[in-house]
Amino acid sequence: MAAFNLPPDPDDYNDVRAETAQQAISAFANAAFGDDEDRNELDMVLSDLLCNLHHWSDRNGVDFDVRYLVSIGNYRDETTEGM
């Protein structure tokens, strides 16, 4: 994985979290794009996955916006020193 300016990782587990996300994104890219070159455009794949998750939420009675806001809180908890 490329080195970027990463936020703090107080429980030393964010690499594992990122890897599970990579597995999900790769599976989605395979399902949605197959061999199409677009599957390598990670920004587009992520945007399309989020959009499709919103459609899934609509069909399963899940408030996507609320879950998204919860995810922001979770991310902040996982990247804040002194957890």
Side-chain angles (χ1 to χ4, degrees):
M1 181 159 56
F4 296 98
N5 186 16
L6 298 175
D9 187 0
D11 64 356
D12 198 31
Y13 202 67
N14 290 340
D15 284 342
V16 172
R17 292 178 177 111
E19 179 56 33
T20 60
Q22 178 62 53
Q23 292 171 13
I25 289 170
S26 293
F28 174 77
N30 286 335
F33 300 103
D35 291 333
D36 192 304
E37 285 185 31
D38 286 342
R39 69 174 318 238
N40 297 318
E41 299 296 327
L42 296 180
D43 291 347
M44 187 185 72
V45 171
L46 177 57
S47 296
D48 202 39
L49 172 58
L50 290 169
C51 178
N52 287 7
L53 287 170
H54 208 151
H55 290 300
W56 178 89
S57 296
D58 292 344
R59 285 151 181 78
N60 288 278
V62 175
D63 188 326
F64 181 87
D65 295 332
V66 168
R67 300 320 324 159
Y68 179 73
L69 292 174
V70 169
S71 77
I72 291 171
N74 292 347
Y75 175 80
R76 287 183 181 149
D77 289 346
E78 293 168 359
T79 57
T80 300
E81 293 288 355
M83 283 181 39

